[in-house]
Amino acid sequence: MPSRARPTITSRSGRLLAWFDRNRRDLPWRARPGEPPDPYRVWLSEIMLQQTTVATVARRWDRFVGRFPDIGTLAAAPWEDVAAAWAGLGYYARARNLHAAARQIAAAGFPPDERGWRALPGVGAYTAAAIAAIAHGQPSVAVDGNVLRVMARLEAVAAPLPASRRTLAKAAATLMADEAARARPGDAVQALFDLGAGICTPRRPACARCPLAGDCAARAGGQQDRLPVRAPRRERPALAGAVFWVEDEAGLVWLRRRPPEGLLGGMLELPGS
Protein backbone atom coordinates (compact mmCIF):
# COMPACT_ATOMS: atom_id res chain seq x y z
CA MET A 1 0.00 0.00 0.00
CA PRO A 2 1.32 3.53 -0.73
CA SER A 3 2.39 5.55 2.30
CA ARG A 4 0.08 8.30 3.53
CA ALA A 5 2.04 11.16 2.00
CA ARG A 6 1.23 14.67 3.20
CA PRO A 7 -0.96 16.22 0.50
CA THR A 8 0.22 19.12 -1.58
CA ILE A 9 -2.29 21.74 -0.49
CA THR A 10 -1.75 23.80 -3.63
CA SER A 11 -3.24 21.00 -5.77
CA ARG A 12 -6.93 20.29 -6.11
CA SER A 13 -6.65 16.73 -4.83
CA GLY A 14 -4.38 17.96 -2.04
CA ARG A 15 -7.07 20.30 -0.79
CA LEU A 16 -9.65 17.56 -1.21
CA LEU A 17 -7.59 15.12 0.85
CA ALA A 18 -6.89 17.70 3.56
CA TRP A 19 -10.66 18.25 3.81
CA PHE A 20 -11.25 14.48 3.87
CA ASP A 21 -8.81 13.99 6.73
CA ARG A 22 -10.88 16.41 8.83
CA ASN A 23 -14.36 15.44 7.65
CA ARG A 24 -14.35 11.82 6.52
CA ARG A 25 -17.52 9.86 7.24
CA ASP A 26 -17.24 7.19 9.91
CA LEU A 27 -18.75 4.21 8.08
CA PRO A 28 -18.72 0.70 9.59
CA TRP A 29 -17.06 -0.88 6.54
CA ARG A 30 -14.27 1.69 6.26
CA ALA A 31 -10.82 1.10 7.67
CA ARG A 32 -9.77 3.62 10.30
CA PRO A 33 -6.97 6.05 9.37
CA GLY A 34 -3.71 4.14 9.36
CA GLU A 35 -5.39 0.71 9.24
CA PRO A 36 -5.03 -1.48 6.14
CA PRO A 37 -8.34 -1.96 4.33
CA ASP A 38 -9.94 -5.40 4.34
CA PRO A 39 -10.72 -6.47 0.73
CA TYR A 40 -13.69 -8.54 1.95
CA ARG A 41 -15.34 -5.59 3.67
CA VAL A 42 -14.56 -3.23 0.79
CA TRP A 43 -16.04 -5.61 -1.78
CA LEU A 44 -19.06 -6.46 0.36
CA SER A 45 -19.86 -2.80 1.03
CA GLU A 46 -19.56 -1.81 -2.62
CA ILE A 47 -21.97 -4.57 -3.67
CA MET A 48 -24.42 -3.62 -0.92
CA LEU A 49 -24.24 0.05 -1.87
CA GLN A 50 -25.26 -0.60 -5.47
CA GLN A 51 -28.71 0.97 -5.96
CA THR A 52 -29.05 1.40 -2.19
CA THR A 53 -28.40 4.27 0.22
CA VAL A 54 -25.58 4.46 2.75
CA ALA A 55 -28.14 4.71 5.55
CA THR A 56 -29.87 1.50 4.46
CA VAL A 57 -26.62 -0.45 4.29
CA ALA A 58 -25.38 0.93 7.62
CA ARG A 59 -28.51 -0.34 9.38
CA ARG A 60 -28.00 -3.89 8.08
CA TRP A 61 -24.21 -4.10 7.99
CA ASP A 62 -23.57 -5.52 11.47
CA ARG A 63 -26.22 -8.21 11.07
CA PHE A 64 -24.86 -9.41 7.74
CA VAL A 65 -21.19 -9.32 8.76
CA GLY A 66 -22.03 -10.96 12.07
CA ARG A 67 -23.55 -13.86 10.12
CA PHE A 68 -20.84 -13.92 7.43
CA PRO A 69 -17.65 -12.46 8.97
CA ASP A 70 -15.31 -13.61 6.22
CA ILE A 71 -15.22 -14.86 2.65
CA GLY A 72 -15.06 -18.53 3.66
CA THR A 73 -18.21 -18.33 5.77
CA LEU A 74 -20.12 -16.55 3.01
CA ALA A 75 -18.95 -18.97 0.33
CA ALA A 76 -19.90 -22.04 2.39
CA ALA A 77 -23.36 -20.78 3.34
CA PRO A 78 -26.45 -22.09 1.53
CA TRP A 79 -28.21 -19.58 -0.71
CA GLU A 80 -31.29 -19.51 1.52
CA ASP A 81 -29.20 -18.18 4.45
CA VAL A 82 -27.62 -15.51 2.27
CA ALA A 83 -30.99 -14.43 0.90
CA ALA A 84 -32.45 -14.19 4.41
CA ALA A 85 -29.56 -12.05 5.65
CA TRP A 86 -29.87 -9.84 2.56
CA ALA A 87 -33.56 -9.12 3.24
CA GLY A 88 -34.22 -5.39 3.20
CA LEU A 89 -31.35 -4.50 0.89
CA GLY A 90 -33.37 -5.06 -2.30
CA TYR A 91 -32.29 -6.07 -5.81
CA TYR A 92 -31.70 -9.71 -4.92
CA ALA A 93 -29.75 -10.37 -8.11
CA ARG A 94 -26.91 -8.60 -6.29
CA ALA A 95 -27.09 -11.17 -3.50
CA ARG A 96 -26.98 -14.05 -6.00
CA ASN A 97 -23.94 -12.53 -7.70
CA LEU A 98 -22.34 -11.86 -4.31
CA HIS A 99 -22.75 -15.50 -3.32
CA ALA A 100 -21.38 -16.77 -6.64
CA ALA A 101 -18.42 -14.38 -6.47
CA ALA A 102 -17.70 -15.42 -2.87
CA ARG A 103 -17.30 -19.00 -3.97
CA GLN A 104 -14.92 -17.98 -6.76
CA ILE A 105 -12.87 -15.86 -4.35
CA ALA A 106 -12.76 -18.62 -1.75
CA ALA A 107 -11.35 -20.96 -4.38
CA ALA A 108 -8.87 -18.59 -6.06
CA GLY A 109 -8.22 -15.76 -3.60
CA PHE A 110 -9.06 -12.06 -3.79
CA PRO A 111 -8.33 -10.52 -7.19
CA PRO A 112 -5.20 -8.35 -7.08
CA ASP A 113 -6.35 -5.61 -9.45
CA GLU A 114 -9.24 -3.89 -11.21
CA ARG A 115 -9.25 -6.33 -14.11
CA GLY A 116 -9.50 -9.31 -11.77
CA TRP A 117 -12.41 -7.81 -9.86
CA ARG A 118 -14.18 -6.93 -13.10
CA ALA A 119 -14.27 -10.63 -14.00
CA LEU A 120 -16.38 -11.56 -10.96
CA PRO A 121 -20.19 -11.81 -11.04
CA GLY A 122 -21.93 -8.58 -10.10
CA VAL A 123 -18.81 -6.40 -10.36
CA GLY A 124 -19.06 -3.71 -13.03
CA ALA A 125 -16.58 -1.08 -14.11
CA TYR A 126 -17.36 1.35 -11.29
CA THR A 127 -17.31 -1.28 -8.54
CA ALA A 128 -14.06 -2.82 -9.78
CA ALA A 129 -12.38 0.59 -9.89
CA ALA A 130 -13.60 1.50 -6.40
CA ILE A 131 -12.37 -1.79 -4.90
CA ALA A 132 -9.00 -1.55 -6.67
CA ALA A 133 -8.45 1.96 -5.34
CA ILE A 134 -9.73 1.47 -1.80
CA ALA A 135 -8.62 -2.11 -1.10
CA HIS A 136 -5.39 -2.22 -3.12
CA GLY A 137 -4.29 1.41 -3.35
CA GLN A 138 -4.28 1.37 -7.14
CA PRO A 139 -4.84 4.57 -9.18
CA SER A 140 -8.26 3.55 -10.45
CA VAL A 141 -10.95 6.15 -11.12
CA ALA A 142 -14.35 5.12 -9.76
CA VAL A 143 -17.13 7.25 -11.21
CA ASP A 144 -20.53 7.14 -9.52
CA GLY A 145 -23.37 9.64 -9.35
CA ASN A 146 -21.62 11.72 -6.69
CA VAL A 147 -18.45 11.96 -8.77
CA LEU A 148 -20.39 12.86 -11.93
CA ARG A 149 -22.14 15.67 -10.09
CA VAL A 150 -18.93 17.04 -8.58
CA MET A 151 -17.11 17.01 -11.91
CA ALA A 152 -20.04 18.51 -13.85
CA ARG A 153 -19.98 21.47 -11.50
CA LEU A 154 -16.23 21.72 -11.13
CA GLU A 155 -15.78 21.87 -14.91
CA ALA A 156 -19.17 23.51 -15.70
CA VAL A 157 -20.13 20.77 -18.16
CA ALA A 158 -23.58 21.73 -19.48
CA ALA A 159 -24.05 18.74 -21.80
CA PRO A 160 -26.74 16.47 -20.32
CA LEU A 161 -26.14 13.11 -18.70
CA PRO A 162 -25.78 10.31 -19.60
CA ALA A 163 -24.23 11.55 -22.87
CA SER A 164 -21.62 13.61 -20.97
CA ARG A 165 -20.53 10.72 -18.76
CA ARG A 166 -17.32 10.04 -20.71
CA THR A 167 -16.30 13.70 -20.58
CA LEU A 168 -16.90 13.82 -16.83
CA ALA A 169 -15.01 10.54 -16.28
CA LYS A 170 -12.00 12.01 -18.09
CA ALA A 171 -12.20 15.09 -15.88
CA ALA A 172 -12.24 12.86 -12.79
CA ALA A 173 -9.21 10.96 -14.11
CA THR A 174 -7.35 14.26 -14.52
CA LEU A 175 -8.18 15.22 -10.93
CA MET A 176 -6.93 11.84 -9.70
CA ALA A 177 -3.71 12.03 -11.71
CA ASP A 178 -1.88 14.66 -9.65
CA GLU A 179 0.73 13.89 -7.01
CA ALA A 180 -1.45 13.98 -3.89
CA ALA A 181 -4.12 11.66 -5.30
CA ARG A 182 -1.53 9.21 -6.67
CA ALA A 183 -0.03 8.93 -3.19
CA ARG A 184 -3.41 8.09 -1.62
CA PRO A 185 -5.73 6.76 -4.34
CA GLY A 186 -8.12 5.01 -1.98
CA ASP A 187 -8.58 8.07 0.19
CA ALA A 188 -8.89 10.31 -2.88
CA VAL A 189 -11.73 8.19 -4.28
CA GLN A 190 -13.53 8.12 -0.93
CA ALA A 191 -12.99 11.87 -0.54
CA LEU A 192 -14.82 12.50 -3.80
CA PHE A 193 -17.65 10.22 -2.65
CA ASP A 194 -17.93 12.09 0.65
CA LEU A 195 -17.74 15.49 -1.04
CA GLY A 196 -20.66 14.61 -3.31
CA ALA A 197 -22.68 13.04 -0.50
CA GLY A 198 -22.25 15.81 2.07
CA ILE A 199 -21.19 19.06 0.35
CA CYS A 200 -21.81 18.98 -3.41
CA THR A 201 -25.32 17.63 -2.94
CA PRO A 202 -27.96 17.45 -5.68
CA ARG A 203 -29.84 20.42 -4.22
CA ARG A 204 -28.47 23.45 -2.40
CA PRO A 205 -24.78 22.48 -2.43
CA ALA A 206 -22.81 23.85 0.52
CA CYS A 207 -20.28 25.71 -1.62
CA ALA A 208 -19.02 27.82 1.30
CA ARG A 209 -17.65 24.65 2.93
CA CYS A 210 -16.29 23.02 -0.24
CA PRO A 211 -12.50 22.59 -0.45
CA LEU A 212 -12.72 22.99 -4.24
CA ALA A 213 -14.96 26.06 -4.29
CA GLY A 214 -12.18 28.25 -5.64
CA ASP A 215 -11.73 25.92 -8.62
CA CYS A 216 -15.43 25.41 -9.37
CA ALA A 217 -16.39 26.86 -12.74
CA ALA A 218 -20.11 26.33 -12.09
CA ARG A 219 -19.94 28.31 -8.84
CA ALA A 220 -18.01 31.09 -10.55
CA GLY A 221 -20.82 31.38 -13.10
CA GLY A 222 -23.66 30.91 -10.61
CA GLN A 223 -24.63 27.60 -12.25
CA GLN A 224 -24.04 25.18 -9.37
CA ASP A 225 -27.76 24.62 -8.74
CA ARG A 226 -28.43 23.91 -12.42
CA LEU A 227 -25.73 21.30 -13.01
CA PRO A 228 -25.53 18.51 -13.87
CA VAL A 229 -28.18 18.50 -16.57
CA ARG A 230 -29.98 15.22 -17.14
CA ALA A 231 -31.79 14.16 -20.28
CA PRO A 232 -35.55 13.65 -19.84
CA ARG A 233 -36.46 10.15 -18.76
CA ARG A 234 -38.67 8.02 -20.96
CA GLU A 235 -42.02 7.15 -19.48
CA ARG A 236 -42.36 3.55 -18.35
CA PRO A 237 -45.56 1.59 -18.86
CA ALA A 238 -47.72 0.82 -15.83
CA LEU A 239 -48.13 -2.92 -15.27
CA ALA A 240 -50.81 -4.66 -13.23
CA GLY A 241 -51.13 -8.18 -11.87
CA ALA A 242 -53.01 -10.32 -9.35
CA VAL A 243 -51.59 -12.05 -6.27
CA PHE A 244 -53.41 -14.94 -4.58
CA TRP A 245 -53.61 -15.91 -0.91
CA VAL A 246 -54.18 -19.68 -0.69
CA GLU A 247 -54.55 -21.11 2.81
CA ASP A 248 -55.29 -24.67 3.93
CA GLU A 249 -57.39 -25.88 6.85
CA ALA A 250 -54.36 -25.76 9.17
CA GLY A 251 -53.76 -22.12 8.34
CA LEU A 252 -50.65 -22.76 6.25
CA VAL A 253 -50.16 -20.34 3.36
CA TRP A 254 -48.98 -21.49 -0.06
CA LEU A 255 -45.71 -19.89 -1.18
CA ARG A 256 -43.68 -20.63 -4.28
CA ARG A 257 -40.08 -19.95 -5.19
CA ARG A 258 -39.37 -17.70 -8.16
CA PRO A 259 -37.07 -18.88 -10.98
CA PRO A 260 -33.37 -18.38 -10.18
CA GLU A 261 -32.93 -15.74 -12.89
CA GLY A 262 -34.78 -12.47 -13.32
CA LEU A 263 -36.53 -10.12 -10.92
CA LEU A 264 -36.31 -11.32 -7.28
CA GLY A 265 -34.78 -14.56 -8.56
CA GLY A 266 -34.85 -17.47 -6.13
CA MET A 267 -37.04 -15.66 -3.59
CA LEU A 268 -40.28 -16.96 -2.05
CA GLU A 269 -43.53 -15.27 -3.07
CA LEU A 270 -47.28 -15.60 -3.05
CA PRO A 271 -48.47 -17.14 -6.34
CA GLY A 272 -49.62 -14.55 -8.85
CA SER A 273 -50.35 -13.78 -12.44
Side-chain angles (χ1 to χ4, degrees):
M1 294 290 295
S3 63
R4 288 173 56 87
R6 187 176 183 81
T8 305
I9 302 302
T10 56
S11 72
R12 292 191 301 173
S13 68
R15 289 193 297 277
L16 180 63
L17 284 163
W19 171 85
F20 179 69
D21 289 338
R22 298 188 302 269
N23 299 281
R24 61 183 290 153
R25 289 180 291 178
D26 184 16
L27 301 175
W29 48 86
R30 273 187 180 170
R32 298 289 185 268
E35 292 181 353
D38 180 351
Y40 175 69
R41 295 170 75 89
V42 175
W43 163 68
L44 180 59
S45 66
E46 289 297 334
I47 299 299
M48 285 186 171
L49 287 165
Q50 293 173 357
Q51 300 171 302
T52 310
T53 66
V54 167
T56 297
V57 175
R59 287 194 297 269
R60 290 164 173 79
W61 176 263
D62 288 342
R63 183 184 68 178
F64 195 95
V65 174
R67 175 65 182 84
F68 308 110
D70 52 50
I71 194 68
T73 306
L74 179 58
W79 159 245
E80 290 76 14
D81 289 358
V82 177
W86 191 268
L89 288 168
Y91 295 96
Y92 286 87
R94 293 181 297 144
R96 294 199 305 274
N97 287 329
L98 181 85
H99 197 212
R103 291 179 170 176
Q104 292 186 30
I105 295 171
F110 286 102
D113 52 28
E114 183 176 349
R115 182 178 180 181
W117 284 104
R118 185 71 178 86
L120 290 176
V123 179
Y126 157 76
T127 302
I131 298 171
I134 299 169
H136 304 301
Q138 296 176 354
S140 300
V141 182
V143 180
D144 70 348
N146 283 324
V147 174
L148 291 172
R149 184 169 58 257
V150 170
M151 299 315 303
R153 290 170 175 168
L154 195 61
E155 305 296 337
V157 176
L161 284 166
S164 61
R165 183 182 181 91
R166 180 172 296 183
T167 298
L168 297 175
K170 288 181 178 179
T174 299
L175 177 64
M176 292 294 170
D178 71 23
E179 180 182 358
R182 289 200 309 271
R184 299 170 57 186
D187 284 346
V189 165
Q190 293 177 99
L192 267 182
F193 296 164
D194 284 10
L195 186 71
I199 300 294
C200 197
T201 51
R203 298 177 182 175
R204 298 182 181 179
C207 298
R209 296 190 287 118
C210 179
L212 303 179
D215 302 290
C216 184
R219 181 173 184 262
Q223 301 293 311
Q224 65 270 27
D225 291 317
R226 300 183 179 91
L227 297 177
V229 176
R230 294 188 177 274
R233 293 184 178 181
R234 293 182 298 176
E235 290 189 12
R236 295 184 177 181
L239 303 178
V243 176
F244 306 101
W245 183 280
V246 182
E247 186 175 327
D248 68 9
E249 294 179 355
L252 300 178
V253 177
W254 177 26
L255 298 178
R256 68 180 181 186
R257 190 171 300 279
R258 294 178 64 89
E261 302 299 329
L263 181 66
L264 300 177
M267 302 303 295
L268 292 172
E269 66 170 4
L270 295 169
S273 63

